[in-house]
């Protein structure tokens, strides 16, 4: 299967039956996808790209290349192509292997997703050094990191599990790692993540179109990434002054999706 055009990377990669769509299940970014999956996208989450999929038995191989934003964390701030790099000189390469199986007669999937971003990114250690007293960007790591952007690579990998337990409920889990020495680009400030949860269908209480979901997530930063924020740096979503007391981000999310009609849900 070949796909070419403007589409969302996460419509094809790192998908999960129980946690992948904030329109119908969980809202938190690091539940809908692996928090470390720094996927290419403009301010609406779309990118120009091409992908190929090869289906063989219970396995699928996927690979794709996608256009990054003009600069890291700037998708929502650049008017040009809604933030995308119009020169196509900064790209993301994504690969995934999917295995489908049955466990105790119930279907499940295991996916391993890897990516490499190649573009002009800043190194946190360099930015911290240039923001020290007496240095050119004293007290302002955010300006410092913009000044040290050169072409680099940023890799990441994640594991994605989904398993139906019965006709009425299933479980899911993700774990991910991304290089925390350089700045994230389009997604968010997470270098380590693990999440898990369950989805329960309402058929067993007479509401077959209703769904209950619950999930927990733990997210973390690489030490140098945390030091950058402690020095006052700004990220995709984190940073409003020095953040000296670093701790793991711990999240619990639950929802009830109530079917008002065949086409309308209240969550």
């Amino acid at each position: 299967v070949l796909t070419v055009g403007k589409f969302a990377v996460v419509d094809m990669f790192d998908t999960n039956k129980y946690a992948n769509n904030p329109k119908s299940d969980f809202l938190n970014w690091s539940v809908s996808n692996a928090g470390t999956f720094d996927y290419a996208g403009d301010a609406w989450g779309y990118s120009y790209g091409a992908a190929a999929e090869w289906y063989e038995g219970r396995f699928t191989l996927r690979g794709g290349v996608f256009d990054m934003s003009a600069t890291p964390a700037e998708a929502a701030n650049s008017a040009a192509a809604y933030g995308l790099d119009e020169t196509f000189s900064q790209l993301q390469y994504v690969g995934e292997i999917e295995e489908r199986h049955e466990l105790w007669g119930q279907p499940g999937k295991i996916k391993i997703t890897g990516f490499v971003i190649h573009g002009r990114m800043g190194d946190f250690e360099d930015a911290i050094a240039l923001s020290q007293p007496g240095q050119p960007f004293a007290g302002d790591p955010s300006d410092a990191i913009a000044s040290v952007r050169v072409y680099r690579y940023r890799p990441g990998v994640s594991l994605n599990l989904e398993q139906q337990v019965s006709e009425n409920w299933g479980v899911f889990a993700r774990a991910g790692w991304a290089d925390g020495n350089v700045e994230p680009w389009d997604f968010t400030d997470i270098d380590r993540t693990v999440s898990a949860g369950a989805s329960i269908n309402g058929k067993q209480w007479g509401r077959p179109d209703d769904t209950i979901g619950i999930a927990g997530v733990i997210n973390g930063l690489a030490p140098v990434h945390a030091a950058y924020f402690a020095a006052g740096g700004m990220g995709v979503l984190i940073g409003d002054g020095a953040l000296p007391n670093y701790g793991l981000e711990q999240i619990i999310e639950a929802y009830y999706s109530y079917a008002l009609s065949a086409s309308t849900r209240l969550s």
Side-chain angles (χ1 to χ4, degrees):
V1 179
L2 301 177
T3 306
V4 180
K6 190 175 186 181
F7 57 100
V9 176
V10 290
D11 282 346
M12 183 175 296
F13 295 90
D14 191 40
T15 62
N16 191 292
K17 177 181 179 180
Y18 304 110
N20 198 207
N21 187 349
K23 292 186 292 184
S24 59
D25 50 64
F26 296 95
L27 295 177
N28 190 275
W29 282 9
S30 55
V31 181
S32 295
N33 295 101
T36 52
F37 187 16
D38 190 9
Y39 61 88
D42 60 16
W44 289 267
Y46 298 99
S47 177
Y48 294 108
E53 302 172 272
W54 175 37
Y55 292 81
E56 184 69 33
R58 61 192 182 97
F59 291 95
T60 300
L61 291 175
R62 297 183 179 92
V65 58
F66 301 92
D67 189 27
M68 299 301 298
S69 296
T71 61
E74 200 182 24
N77 301 320
S78 173
Y82 305 106
L84 294 174
D85 178 7
E86 294 181 323
T87 70
F88 291 89
S89 62
Q90 302 178 115
L91 300 172
Q92 179 177 55
Y93 305 89
V94 188
E96 182 173 88
I97 182 169
E98 172 186 313
E99 184 269 342
R100 296 174 292 278
H101 60 266
E102 284 196 357
L103 187 62
W104 299 303
Q106 301 293 334
K109 294 180 183 179
I110 300 173
K111 299 178 183 181
I112 299 174
T113 307
F115 71 86
V116 175
I117 296 171
H118 182 231
R120 289 177 55 84
M121 291 170 278
D123 180 273
F124 289 125
E125 189 172 351
D126 292 346
I128 293 169
L130 288 177
S131 66
Q132 298 304 305
Q135 295 300 312
F137 299 94
D140 197 340
S142 298
D143 282 349
I145 202 164
S147 74
V148 296
R149 285 175 179 157
V150 298
Y151 276 92
R152 312 177 193 269
Y153 292 94
R154 183 173 193 255
V157 64
S158 59
L159 177 67
N160 178 345
L161 310 174
E162 67 175 68
Q163 181 63 52
Q164 183 172 301
V165 178
S166 73
E167 179 185 359
N168 296 321
W169 69 289
V171 296
F172 64 92
R174 286 186 174 98
W177 169 91
D179 184 356
N181 295 309
V182 295
E183 56 185 331
W185 200 296
D186 279 333
F187 195 47
T188 196
D189 309 293
I190 299 173
D191 304 321
R192 318 282 186 264
T193 187
V194 60
S195 64
S199 179
I200 305 168
N201 181 269
K203 184 177 181 179
Q204 49 198 320
W205 59 88
R207 297 284 308 173
D209 295 325
D210 291 7
T211 307
I212 291 177
I214 186 167
V217 194
I218 299 176
N219 296 319
L221 299 173
V224 70
H225 199 171
Y228 169 78
F229 287 121
M234 298 284 285
V236 179
L237 290 179
I238 299 177
D240 56 359
L243 300 174
N245 301 313
Y246 168 71
L248 294 174
E249 180 180 46
Q250 301 174 66
I251 302 162
I252 294 177
E253 180 178 352
Y255 73 88
Y256 189 107
S257 176
Y258 184 87
L260 296 175
S261 68
S263 61
T264 307
R265 303 284 190 277
L266 178 66
S267 294

